Amino acid sequence: MLNWFKPRTKSLMSHFDGVLGTSLDLQLLGSSGTNLTKIEDAILAEIDRLDRCLSRYDPESEFSHWRCTKGEWVEASKELRFLLLEAEYWQKHTGNAFHAAAESVVRAGGDPDQALWEVSGTRIRKLTDLDLSLDSIAKGYIIDRCAETAIREGATSVVVNIGGDIRHIGPEPLVVAISDPRHDAENAAPLEEVTIKNGAIATSGDYRRTVQWNDQEVSHIFDVRTLEPAQQCPSATFIASCALVADVMSTAASVMEPDDLIALTESIEDSAFLLVRADNERFESSSWYSFRVGNCHGL
């Protein structure tokens, strides 16, 4: 007689403030013999390593040093080279809705189509005086690397949540509540709940984070195509197979017209979006339905 049983598992849930300028919530599952604390340490070490490489707030980071150059070829890490190539790809793919110099272009009234950098082999060269930022792609990339680190180190399931951008890997689906931009209270009913499995979700918008613009508080997201801050979309949520794409596309979705966003989303495998406009009108992709709670879509 065979006795079938479910292997015992152990779990770890932790919260950290001051991670990438926001907070980190981490959930790990592993078999009974897995050292989850060691996996947590590996994830934190990976965040520190990548932050030293990609941060624009740390003046000693690799990215910060390179931002201060112009016209000279510089040897660069594979991580920075990869993100520059990805940023270039998504800028083109979104028709400048995602742009690594968006705020600088808008504030300077510059040309959004000018070349920003070159990547050749192991070297990179900055071509512009515009200030560059990889914030809207680097966080998603770091989240992906954290989740991959957890699985590589022996976790059977992981949820990485940095500032509300989430990556999940594991056999059991994850339910995510999306905040309603019309209600600031943390205990307010969610706008919607969705289920993701082996995927990612990110939300961008102006209801949580603003900047000063002509003596006004405006969205931190800028549209280089109109040379104005984003004004029409308080909340843009994007689901994708990885956090990098979810991060990029939630930013791009904040300034794209719904029809253009629908067409682009249809070209991205296993993706969906939900927009809430300033007039409270709601738009969603046809694929959004499959991610609603009760309609689990495994990526």
Side-chain angles (χ1 to χ4, degrees):
M1 178 177 179
L2 295 176
N3 293 315
W4 297 97
F5 65 96
K6 188 174 183 178
R8 291 184 179 179
T9 60
K10 59 192 302 187
S11 64
L12 181 150
M13 298 180 64
S14 51
H15 173 87
F16 301 90
D17 290 315
V19 176
L20 303 183
T22 181
S23 61
L24 163 67
D25 287 291
L26 186 63
Q27 299 178 31
L28 296 171
L29 286 178
S31 61
S32 58
T34 305
N35 188 336
L36 295 181
T37 301
K38 182 179 178 181
I39 296 175
E40 178 187 74
D41 290 342
I43 289 171
L44 295 175
E46 181 71 349
I47 291 174
D48 287 342
R49 184 183 75 83
L50 292 173
D51 194 40
R52 289 194 300 271
C53 172
L54 304 172
S55 173
R56 72 168 174 138
Y57 301 102
D58 178 1
E60 297 304 315
S61 73
E62 179 185 10
F63 179 62
S64 291
H65 281 297
W66 177 69
R67 285 169 67 210
C68 296
T69 69
K70 183 186 176 183
E72 61 184 276
W73 286 105
V74 177
E75 288 288 330
S77 65
K78 63 181 181 181
E79 290 85 0
L80 181 53
R81 298 196 314 268
F82 172 79
L83 270 195
L84 291 178
L85 291 172
E86 284 291 301
E88 191 173 55
Y89 170 83
W90 286 105
Q91 179 181 332
K92 180 179 180 181
H93 207 52
T94 62
N96 282 336
F98 169 82
H99 198 288
E103 184 172 351
S104 184
V105 168
V106 172
R107 291 189 183 276
D111 175 14
D113 295 317
Q114 65 178 282
L116 301 177
W117 56 69
E118 285 184 275
V119 179
S120 178
T122 61
R123 300 185 303 162
I124 58 178
R125 178 167 64 166
K126 185 170 177 278
L127 302 176
T128 180
D129 290 319
L130 293 170
D131 191 24
L132 302 176
S133 170
L134 296 176
D135 289 358
S136 295
I137 191 170
K139 184 169 72 168
Y141 172 67
I142 292 173
I143 290 170
D144 285 330
R145 293 295 295 266
C146 290
E148 292 159 6
T149 295
I151 298 301
R152 185 177 64 248
E153 294 293 324
T156 56
S157 179
V158 58
V159 178
V160 181
N161 178 347
I162 299 183
D165 293 356
I166 298 170
R167 175 71 190 273
H168 167 266
I169 303 177
E172 299 297 329
L174 175 72
V175 175
V176 179
I178 300 169
S179 297
D180 191 332
R182 299 162 296 186
H183 303 289
D184 290 333
E186 291 188 2
N187 62 349
L191 177 67
E192 188 149 331
E193 290 184 326
V194 294
T195 308
I196 61 172
K197 182 180 178 185
N198 295 314
I201 185 169
T203 298
S204 295
D206 59 10
Y207 69 104
R208 297 287 188 199
R209 181 179 165 198
T210 60
V211 296
Q212 284 288 326
W213 171 261
N214 294 335
D215 297 324
Q216 292 182 321
E217 292 287 330
V218 299
S219 171
H220 68 285
I221 299 170
F222 288 80
D223 188 350
V224 299
R225 303 166 306 171
T226 63
L227 297 181
E228 295 284 343
Q231 301 178 33
Q232 60 186 14
C233 188
S235 176
T237 298
F238 204 90
I239 295 172
S241 60
C242 68
L244 184 152
V245 174
D247 196 12
V248 166
M249 285 302 303
S250 66
T251 300
S254 297
V255 298
M256 293 182 73
E257 290 299 321
D259 287 347
D260 295 333
L261 182 57
I262 288 170
L264 180 55
T265 301
E266 288 176 349
S267 72
I268 302 172
E269 188 174 1
D270 295 321
S271 66
F273 74 81
L274 170 64
L275 304 181
V276 177
R277 304 293 285 266
D279 58 4
N280 289 330
E281 192 172 5
R282 170 178 167 144
F283 296 91
E284 60 192 52
S285 63
S286 59
S287 53
W288 184 260
Y289 173 80
S290 64
F291 291 94
R292 287 195 178 118
V293 168
N295 300 306
C296 179
H297 185 122
L299 294 175

